[in-house]
């Protein structure tokens, strides 16, 4: 099965908390990886998102440790929408 990972950057203007996080994260730009699997049809290929991960800490923050935390795209979208208000 064919898989791909795409990476985007999301921006938070205020601290945010996603389900599963033990503490709020500060405002900033964060990298998000989306893992997808190909679904091949007779005339086209579609991509199904199977996982998403946010990189902690934010882009540009100096840290001796970095980690990728699994998230759900819906939770991320809700947090970004809340941040915009």
């Amino acid at each position: 099965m064919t898989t791909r990972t795409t990476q985007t950057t999301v921006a938070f203007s205020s601290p945010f908390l996603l389900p599963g996080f033990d503490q709020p994260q500060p405002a900033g730009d964060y990298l998000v990886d989306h893992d997808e699997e190909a679904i091949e049809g007779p005339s086209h290929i579609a991509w199904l998102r199977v996982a998403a991960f946010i990189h902690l800490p934010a882009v540009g923050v100096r840290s001796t440790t970095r980690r990728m935390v699994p998230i759900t795209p819906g939770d991320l979208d809700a947090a970004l929408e809340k941040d915009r208000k």
Side-chain angles (χ1 to χ4, degrees):
M1 181 168 289
T2 303
T3 61
R4 71 179 181 185
T5 300
T6 57
Q7 190 172 76
T8 60
T9 302
V10 297
F12 285 94
S13 59
S14 59
F16 68 99
L17 184 66
L18 290 173
F21 283 23
D22 48 347
Q23 60 187 3
Q25 298 299 307
D29 294 336
Y30 290 82
L31 297 175
V32 177
D33 289 351
H34 302 277
D35 292 346
E36 302 167 312
E37 291 181 349
I39 302 171
E40 297 185 36
S43 62
H44 66 280
I45 295 176
W47 295 92
L48 174 66
R49 185 175 296 152
V50 295
F53 302 89
I54 191 166
H55 294 246
L56 300 178
V59 174
V61 173
R62 291 183 148 208
S63 177
T64 57
T65 60
R66 295 203 164 276
R67 58 189 175 130
M68 290 175 45
V69 179
I71 58 171
T72 62
D75 290 339
L76 177 62
D77 290 343
L80 288 166
E81 183 64 30
K82 181 179 177 183
D83 186 65
R84 287 186 200 111
K85 293 182 180 182

